[in-house]
């Protein structure tokens, strides 16, 4: 029959010759502005949702957007962007409500990859729509029978959404737990 062994534990090292001073705690990386789970990150996500929804709504309310492939591509790209940003905003709200910081490296990697994909799609769609809008308004001079102002505003909202994404850069936490870290 085996019995548990008791191993002696050494007292903590003396600091400045006194044992009453507590050694410093492990240093954690501070929250970066725009990081998932912070109020700034939530604000950036909500701005992305707002601009994506405005672009989607403006483009979808025109009667002749299905006639041009670039406009259909913009509607699909900002629709995907709206869903992605809204779902991540809900995760940020949850993290703020339970006072947790999202420092999981795998989660931040998924955020970064998803943001990169949706941002690239939105930027490509906005560039294509800008080219078609310039073609319609300047080269063909057919703005009177098309919805050029609506197309231009939807394209501008897509570009603003993309610029907003550039502000929300993520940095992987080099220190800290791989799980959700309790914020105190």
């Amino acid at each position: 029959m085996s019995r548990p062994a008791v191993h002696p534990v050494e007292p903590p090292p003396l600091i400045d010759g006194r044992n009453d001073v507590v050694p410093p705690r492990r240093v954690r990386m501070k929250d970066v502005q725009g990081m998932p789970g912070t109020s700034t990150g939530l604000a950036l996500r909500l701005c992305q949702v707002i601009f994506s929804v405005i672009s989607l709504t403006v483009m979808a309310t025109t009667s002749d957007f299905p006639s041009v492939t670039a406009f259909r591509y913009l509607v699909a790209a900002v629709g995907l962007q709206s869903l992605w940003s809204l779902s991540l905003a809900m995760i940020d709200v949850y993290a703020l409500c339970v006072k947790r910081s999202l420092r999981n490296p795998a989660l931040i990697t998924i955020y970064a990859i998803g943001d990169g994909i949706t941002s690239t799609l939105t930027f490509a769609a906005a560039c294509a729509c800008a080219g078609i809008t310039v073609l319609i308004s300047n080269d063909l001079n057919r703005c009177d029978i098309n919805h050029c102002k609506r197309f231009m505003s939807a394209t501008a909202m897509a570009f603003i959404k993309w610029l907003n994404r550039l502000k929300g850069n993520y940095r992987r936490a080099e220190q800290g737990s791989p799980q959700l870290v309790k914020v105190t």
Side-chain angles (χ1 to χ4, degrees):
M1 174 177 242
S2 67
R3 296 187 181 186
V6 177
H7 299 285
V9 177
E10 295 181 23
L14 296 175
I15 298 177
D16 296 333
R18 295 178 288 154
N19 203 14
D20 60 345
V21 178
V22 179
R25 296 180 67 184
R26 187 176 92 191
V27 178
R28 288 186 359 194
M29 185 175 133
K30 294 181 181 179
D31 286 339
V32 179
Q33 290 183 353
M35 190 171 106
T38 61
S39 58
T40 309
L42 177 63
L44 288 171
R45 285 286 169 208
L46 291 178
C47 286
Q48 286 179 1
V49 170
I50 289 168
F51 290 126
S52 294
V53 168
I54 290 172
S55 179
L56 177 68
T57 305
V58 168
M59 189 61 79
T61 56
T62 61
S63 60
D64 54 350
F65 93 89
S67 63
V68 179
T69 306
F71 295 154
R72 286 186 282 171
Y73 178 47
L74 180 68
V75 168
V78 296
L80 177 66
Q81 178 67 50
S82 300
L83 294 174
W84 174 255
S85 294
L86 185 63
S87 63
L88 295 183
M90 287 190 281
I91 293 172
D92 285 346
V93 167
Y94 172 76
L96 289 171
C97 287
V98 297
K99 295 185 177 128
R100 302 255 177 192
S101 178
L102 302 174
R103 293 184 188 218
N104 186 339
L107 185 64
I108 292 176
T109 302
I110 291 171
Y111 270 42
I113 291 171
D115 278 342
I117 290 170
T118 57
S119 193
T120 302
L121 290 174
T122 304
F123 182 69
C127 287
C129 286
I132 295 297
T133 304
V134 167
L135 174 72
I136 292 171
S137 65
N138 294 348
D139 298 339
L140 300 177
N141 292 325
R142 307 220 37 209
C143 270
D144 51 348
I145 60 172
N146 289 315
H147 301 287
C148 284
K149 298 292 182 194
R150 287 187 175 188
F151 294 152
M152 288 178 188
S153 62
T155 304
M157 290 300 140
F159 275 117
I160 291 172
K161 191 252 32 114
W162 181 75
L163 290 173
N164 187 321
R165 165 58 193 107
L166 291 179
K167 290 183 180 182
N169 291 332
Y170 302 121
R171 295 183 186 156
R172 186 177 294 209
E174 285 122 17
Q175 297 180 359
S177 171
Q179 302 297 322
L180 291 176
V181 177
K182 178 77 174 177
V183 176
T184 56

